[in-house]
Amino acid sequence: MYLFKTIKNLQRYLLACKNRNESIGFVPTMGALHEGHISLLAFAQQHCTLTVCSIFVNPTQFNEKEDFDKYPRTTEADIALLEQNGCKVLFLPDVEEIYPHPDNPAPVFDFGYLDKPMEGAHRPGHFNGVAQVVTRLLQIVQPHHLFMGQKDYQQYKIIDKMLQITQSPVVLHMCPTLREPSGLAMSSRNIRLSPKEREQAAHIYRALLLVQQSMEVLPPKQARMAALNYLEQHIQNAQPEYLEIVNAHTLERVQHWKDAAQTVVCTAVRVGNVRLIDNLLLPPQTT
Ligand code: AMP
């Protein structure tokens, strides 16, 4: 695997690849890699002749400094895991490489309603930071295909919109969420859970499944309440920040299942000190 820390060296290498007509896939990450990340790499490897992974803990998308400081960093293990899984190129820049002029204003996008609810409401500035870093990384790597996880569904919608706004030719792919056998969505933050908290965190997915199971008998509002009650009963000191059933396209709340061709239930829950998010795309309904 080639490891590049500078834009200059990465671009020199990629230019030669593009001249050989390689199709370039890109998997941006913040490291502390797990099987979920590796599944994105595998998707990219199937679609493209060359896949670039990046590891960059982007300071501009953290709205709490403590969250940034505590974000797990496991670079040595990440490099080994990428190598084991046949990754050809890793881009591992430092902050100065990505933001050489930190005082320059970040590009501001109008995402309409997409960045208003859920993560947008609870993490002010988060999506601007995400859009800023993805724009910058795309400018550097100039891939043909971009692979992102459904795990961060709202982020996927934001990047989809950003690509439309900038009329980018990059093709965006959404890859399914990988889960632990317990149902807990794999996340870099899971490392910070105690064994007991990890067990409890599995109830997050069960709450989402409860919504799916109750679709035939309950309207969205009541299905949402049932899931919130489930979380409160099953996770000690559970602090659900939100649990919303929304139109998967617009992210607006739905009153009736039939209001949207596709709905998605999204949640963020604090388990101990760890903030976890998850979501489930729901089957279409006629009522
Ligand atoms: P992160 O390192 O958390 O910024 O995630 C990098 C990419 O991996 C994002 O596109 C995430 O949506 C995706 N990802 C994170 N966790 C999972 C998972 N459990 N399954 C699939 N993709 C994931």
Side-chain angles (χ1 to χ4, degrees):
M1 180 171 77
Y2 291 103
L3 192 164
F4 296 104
K5 294 197 164 185
T6 66
I7 296 170
K8 200 171 134 217
N9 289 344
L10 173 72
Q11 287 188 329
R12 187 186 304 145
Y13 176 81
L14 290 179
L15 185 65
C17 298
K18 283 172 193 161
N19 286 340
R20 288 197 302 270
N21 277 332
E22 301 248 30
S23 64
I24 315 275
F26 181 40
V27 178
T29 81
M30 297 206 299
L33 301 182
H34 49 69
E35 288 303 314
H37 295 113
I38 297 304
S39 73
L40 264 58
L41 171 65
F43 266 96
Q45 287 167 331
Q46 276 170 20
H47 262 85
C48 304
T49 56
L50 183 83
T51 299
V52 179
C53 278
S54 66
I55 296 179
F56 179 63
V57 185
N58 174 37
T60 72
Q61 72 187 68
F62 286 84
N63 52 320
E64 290 170 15
K65 188 175 175 305
E66 196 191 339
D67 192 24
F68 174 70
D69 292 341
K70 283 195 179 159
Y71 199 84
R73 289 157 172 92
T74 58
T75 312
E76 292 304 308
D78 291 350
I79 292 173
L81 193 61
L82 289 173
E83 275 191 316
Q84 278 162 30
N85 286 280
C87 180
K88 294 269 171 53
V89 181
L90 170 61
F91 182 42
L92 188 66
D94 61 22
V95 175
E96 290 72 33
E97 192 71 9
I98 297 295
Y99 302 123
H101 308 290
D103 296 334
N104 282 2
V108 176
F109 296 97
D110 179 3
F111 293 118
Y113 186 67
L114 293 180
D115 66 348
K116 305 296 181 293
M118 304 190 291
E119 291 300 286
H122 286 86
R123 301 185 69 187
H126 169 64
F127 285 126
N128 254 326
V130 169
Q132 178 185 18
V133 76
V134 176
T135 316
R136 179 82 178 113
L137 289 169
L138 290 180
Q139 213 176 49
I140 294 167
V141 178
Q142 299 190 15
H144 301 102
H145 296 265
L146 173 62
F147 296 84
M148 305 199 80
Q150 183 197 321
K151 160 79 173 26
D152 300 86
Y153 185 75
Q154 193 174 8
Q155 166 174 284
Y156 161 79
K157 294 298 294 177
I158 293 280
I159 298 306
D160 188 36
K161 180 83 178 176
M162 190 269 279
L163 294 175
Q164 280 171 34
I165 294 172
T166 56
Q167 299 187 334
S168 165
V170 174
V171 182
L172 176 62
H173 303 259
M174 183 176 82
C175 305
T177 304
L178 248 76
R179 300 181 178 281
E180 306 282 351
S182 69
L184 174 65
M186 291 183 182
S187 164
S188 306
R189 294 170 195 267
N190 291 354
I191 303 174
R192 293 175 47 212
L193 295 168
S194 69
K196 173 111 195 285
E197 288 168 341
R198 189 178 271 258
E199 234 172 72
Q200 293 199 331
H203 287 293
I204 297 173
Y205 183 51
R206 290 178 204 143
L208 301 180
L209 288 174
L210 187 65
V211 171
Q212 180 171 318
Q213 285 151 10
S214 51
M215 287 180 87
E216 299 217 334
V217 284
L218 296 178
K221 195 172 169 187
Q222 286 172 31
R224 171 176 180 267
M225 288 313 298
L228 280 167
N229 286 339
Y230 178 92
L231 283 173
E232 269 159 30
Q233 279 166 19
H234 288 85
I235 305 185
Q236 235 170 36
N237 304 321
Q239 288 172 303
E241 279 191 3
Y242 64 82
L243 184 143
E244 296 290 349
I245 300 169
V246 300
N247 179 320
H249 185 56
T250 63
L251 303 187
E252 285 165 329
R253 262 191 188 180
V254 291
Q255 303 298 328
H256 308 280
W257 297 113
K258 65 170 166 40
D259 285 354
Q262 171 96 68
T263 46
V264 58
V265 49
C266 303
T267 191
V269 183
R270 275 185 199 270
V271 180
N273 285 325
V274 187
R275 185 178 186 278
L276 300 172
I277 61 170
D278 200 354
N279 67 79
L280 186 66
L281 284 162
L282 299 168
Q285 296 288 307
T286 49
T287 54

